[in-house]
Amino acid sequence: MIKHLITTATLALTGSAVVADVAVLITDGSTSRQAARAESALVAQGFELYEATRKGPDDIAALLAEAFTAAEPGEAVVVYLGGTTVQIGARTYHASSRTRGITAFNAGARATDIGVILDAMAAYPGRALLLIGEQRAPITLGDVDRPLGQLVAELPAGVTLVSGSAPALLGNLERLLRTPGASVQESFSGQLISGYAPDGVAFLPEAPDTFGTLSADAEEELYWQLAQDMGTSDALRAYLRRYPAGLFAADAERTLDAYRADPALQAEALERNLGLDRAARRAVQADLTVLGFDTRGVDGILGRGSRAALSAWQGSRGFVETGYLTANQLAALSGEAETRRAEERRADSAYWARTGINGSERGLRAYLDRYPDGIHAANARRSLAEFEDARAQSRAAADRRRWEDALDTGSVAGFESYLREFPDGLYAEDAREEIERRSQPSVSDAQIARDRSEEGDVLGNPILKLLAEQRMTQLGYGPGRVDGRFDDATRAAIRAFQTASGLPATGYVSRATGARLLSSQ
């Protein structure tokens, strides 16, 4: 019962009353069975039905004029257009019969302007339903942003537009009519719904009851609650017409005064009634961003940056710049952003076809330069990684071959040539060691024997050996443990010292080596 009372109150606030309703069905004959079932449901609900099949624009214009002449304020008006839509710039036309030969210059005479139909439906806010059944792909002529896009952007307040597959649309219309208390949102799920379509609010009342089951105060409170929920000036004025001296009349007048002083307040209330959750707000920010309006982040918080971006978008599209969204604007923004994304995806794929799809390294890099986060970016990076791997393998193989050549020559010049080509190569350190080793003066066996013999005299006791190791450590030659025992590390350090001092590098402390070592500063 409460749901029914709310439905009845909503109809009253939108200026509706329970009277005879009007429906116009214009079909192309391809959905005759579904159309017949929808017609039956309309008649069962008491609609005055106007129907035409495969008619030209003159006949359709006459039929529409007759239907809207019969429609009274407060009635429900349903218009179904089945056939083909023709989009020419910002204008959208409907043709239920032959479309061949339609051009931008004769569309007004060969098809029906849907914008004119919407203008007529604006007189029935809250109960005006336009259905566009797409039996074939729309025809677009000239510079077209997107089919139906301008209709969505400029829908009159209180008018609902639903588009989709013709058979499904007619089937859902029948479901709407045969389900007591059903809303447009419930009945047409799966189709594109734009404009006035509050969830949970029935398009047709369940029964012609009134508020007689409520007390007068409860009835007024319900009216006031709904007027606040709707958040529009029309809803507040409807409350005042019914209750000019009511309990909430002063509040209604104050709210209306505030709306007149600051239109953004009403806009804020309308957006609040959309019930946008965090995900929906992030979607709004993402849509604005893709259209080139900087929201200063996509975080689901509609702060100052997002409101400024919304105002800029509204102004550029001819809306009042409030910084708050209406249902129509939300649908227009979403549709426009999706169109832009589709355009970007097409441009992305087209550039991929010109560059990256051929698999060349140059083409892949060109694609990533333009679309670093593009549709095919991951594929491009994988392909480039394969090029890099192949290049690394090739360079490693060349490095190895060049090192083997240096080993074959066994000369300092050969190792130096390797280092010029591969200064950071796999064998660079080995090459430097070979150069250092081979650059040392050659030492005869006799010299080695002499130095070995002299070392016994120079370092005749362990203390002198410790002293020699300490000196080499101090000088940075790294003789290993300072323990008085000369191992391979110690001999290598002695040779290094001797080479630096211009002495025969025998690895033994001769008299000359000892004198130089102990006197070095």
Side-chain angles (χ1 to χ4, degrees):
M1 175 60 72
I2 291 298
K3 180 179 178 181
H4 166 66
L5 292 174
I6 291 175
T7 300
T8 309
T10 303
L11 294 175
L13 284 167
T14 56
S16 301
V18 184
V19 292
D21 302 315
V22 172
V24 180
L25 266 67
I26 300 171
T27 64
D28 63 355
S30 61
T31 53
S32 56
R33 184 170 59 181
Q34 294 92 339
R37 293 175 60 89
E39 290 171 8
S40 175
L42 286 164
V43 171
Q45 279 289 344
F47 276 79
E48 187 173 346
L49 183 62
Y50 297 81
E51 188 271 337
T53 302
R54 293 196 188 95
K55 297 295 185 181
D58 291 341
D59 292 331
I60 292 174
L63 185 74
L64 288 167
E66 182 181 357
F68 278 98
T69 299
E72 296 291 338
E75 294 182 358
V77 175
V78 176
V79 177
Y80 170 83
L81 305 176
T84 306
T85 56
V86 181
Q87 189 77 28
I88 302 174
R91 307 300 297 177
T92 308
Y93 298 86
H94 163 263
S96 66
S97 56
R98 192 165 56 88
T99 58
R100 182 178 300 174
I102 290 181
T103 68
F105 302 102
N106 64 16
R110 302 281 297 275
T112 305
D113 190 333
I114 299 178
V116 175
I117 299 175
L118 284 173
D119 290 342
M121 298 181 80
Y124 308 89
R127 305 198 71 198
L129 176 60
L130 174 62
L131 307 173
I132 298 180
E134 299 166 341
Q135 194 65 17
R136 290 179 294 276
I139 297 172
T140 57
L141 301 173
D143 184 14
V144 176
D145 183 15
R146 65 188 187 280
L148 305 186
Q150 198 66 24
L151 288 183
V152 172
E154 298 179 356
L155 274 178
V159 176
T160 307
L161 170 63
V162 185
S163 61
S165 162
L169 212 58
L170 287 167
N172 286 343
L173 173 60
E174 181 188 0
R175 183 172 70 166
L176 173 70
L177 296 166
R178 296 193 187 280
T179 306
S183 70
V184 171
Q185 287 282 1
E186 294 168 330
S187 300
F188 290 92
S189 60
Q191 270 86 42
L192 180 61
I193 303 173
S194 304
Y196 177 81
D199 193 18
V201 176
F203 180 69
L204 298 175
E206 297 180 50
D209 290 346
T210 66
F211 289 96
T213 55
L214 293 178
S215 67
D217 287 348
E219 174 188 323
E220 181 183 353
E221 186 173 351
L222 177 59
Y223 256 82
W224 173 240
Q225 184 61 52
L226 284 170
Q228 287 181 303
D229 288 345
M230 294 177 71
T232 66
S233 299
D234 289 342
L236 293 168
R237 283 191 285 266
Y239 165 81
L240 287 171
R241 282 195 299 272
R242 189 177 183 95
Y243 301 102
L247 298 171
F248 309 100
D251 291 334
E253 292 287 2
R254 278 194 296 271
T255 304
L256 283 171
D257 289 341
Y259 283 176
R260 283 189 285 268
D262 186 359
L265 290 175
Q266 181 174 198
E268 183 178 1
L270 290 172
E271 182 183 280
R272 188 167 53 249
N273 287 337
L274 295 177
L276 301 177
D277 59 15
R278 188 73 173 267
R281 295 193 297 271
R282 279 197 297 268
V284 167
Q285 291 173 318
D287 289 345
L288 287 167
T289 300
V290 81
L291 294 173
F293 297 90
D294 183 12
T295 60
R296 301 181 188 175
V298 180
D299 53 10
I301 300 173
L302 300 182
R304 183 176 300 176
S306 296
R307 295 301 177 189
L310 268 174
S311 292
W313 174 79
Q314 288 169 327
S316 67
R317 271 54 175 179
F319 296 117
V320 177
E321 297 179 38
T322 64
Y324 295 92
L325 284 167
T326 65
N328 287 350
Q329 291 171 8
L330 180 63
L333 174 63
S334 176
E336 184 181 349
E338 184 53 39
T339 298
R340 178 67 57 82
R341 290 188 182 96
E343 291 170 354
E344 291 180 352
R345 288 193 294 269
R346 285 193 296 270
D348 183 322
S349 294
Y351 195 67
W352 174 255
R354 293 199 303 273
T355 57
I357 202 170
N358 61 23
S360 72
E361 185 173 6
R362 181 178 179 182
L364 292 168
R365 293 193 185 282
Y367 173 81
L368 285 174
D369 285 343
R370 181 172 296 189
Y371 296 103
D373 301 312
I375 300 170
H376 308 282
N379 288 338
R381 290 192 176 91
R382 279 194 296 269
S383 297
L384 280 177
E386 292 174 2
F387 279 107
E388 294 291 347
D389 289 344
R391 191 158 31 247
Q393 292 173 11
S394 175
R395 186 165 179 79
D399 187 332
R400 177 67 186 177
R401 287 194 301 271
R402 193 68 187 84
W403 172 246
E404 290 174 349
D405 291 342
L407 289 175
D408 288 343
T409 63
S411 66
V412 170
F415 293 115
E416 288 176 341
S417 177
Y418 168 83
L419 285 173
R420 282 195 296 273
E421 189 171 348
F422 296 97
D424 299 313
L426 297 173
Y427 309 98
E429 190 60 34
D430 294 336
R432 292 186 182 94
E433 290 178 1
E434 288 294 331
I435 291 170
E436 181 180 354
R437 184 175 66 82
R438 294 167 190 268
S439 297
Q440 294 175 355
S442 59
V443 180
S444 66
D445 291 341
Q447 182 69 53
I448 293 173
R450 281 194 298 271
D451 284 6
R452 184 188 298 117
S453 175
E454 289 182 8
E455 183 178 274
D457 296 332
V458 175
L459 304 177
N461 62 66
I463 293 176
L464 291 173
K465 285 189 173 183
L466 285 168
L467 180 60
E469 286 178 326
Q470 289 175 347
R471 288 297 294 148
M472 284 188 285
T473 300
Q474 291 169 357
L475 295 171
Y477 287 99
R481 280 184 73 179
V482 179
D483 56 5
R485 296 180 181 181
F486 285 11
D487 54 15
D488 289 344
T490 309
R491 297 298 176 191
I494 293 170
R495 284 194 294 270
F497 175 77
Q498 288 170 327
T499 299
S501 301
L503 299 170
T506 63
Y508 294 93
V509 181
S510 64
R511 290 186 180 87
T513 301
R516 187 71 60 85
L517 177 63
L518 296 175
S519 65
S520 298
Q521 297 299 320

